[in-house]
Amino acid sequence: MESGSDAAESAAIAAAIARFEAETAPAEAAVGEAVSPWQRAALAEGVGAKGIVQKHLEGGTQWQS
C-alpha cells in the first residue's frame, strides 16, 4: 500500500504525463476543410481563366477552343 506522499507523487507524475501528451499531440484536422485534388485543379483553372476573360472583354485576343 502506498503512503500519502507516494500517492501524491504518483498522481503528479500521471498528471504531468497527461499534460505532456495533450500539449504534444498533433492537431486534429478540421472536418470539411480539406480541398480535394479535383477542386484544387478547378480553382486554379478558374483563377487562370480570369485573365483570359478580362482580356477578351477588353477586345483582346479571341477565344480559342
Side-chain angles (χ1 to χ4, degrees):
M1 186 173 207
E2 294 184 13
S3 66
S5 65
D6 287 341
E9 186 176 347
S10 297
I13 292 171
I17 291 170
R19 183 173 178 182
F20 174 79
E21 288 176 343
E23 290 177 354
T24 60
E28 292 183 26
V31 177
E33 287 188 18
V35 177
S36 74
W38 289 102
Q39 187 177 15
R40 188 178 305 111
L43 290 170
E45 222 174 279
V47 171
K50 183 178 179 182
I52 296 169
V53 171
Q54 187 64 34
K55 194 172 186 180
H56 176 71
L57 294 175
E58 293 172 354
T61 60
Q62 297 297 314
W63 285 97
Q64 296 178 359
S65 49

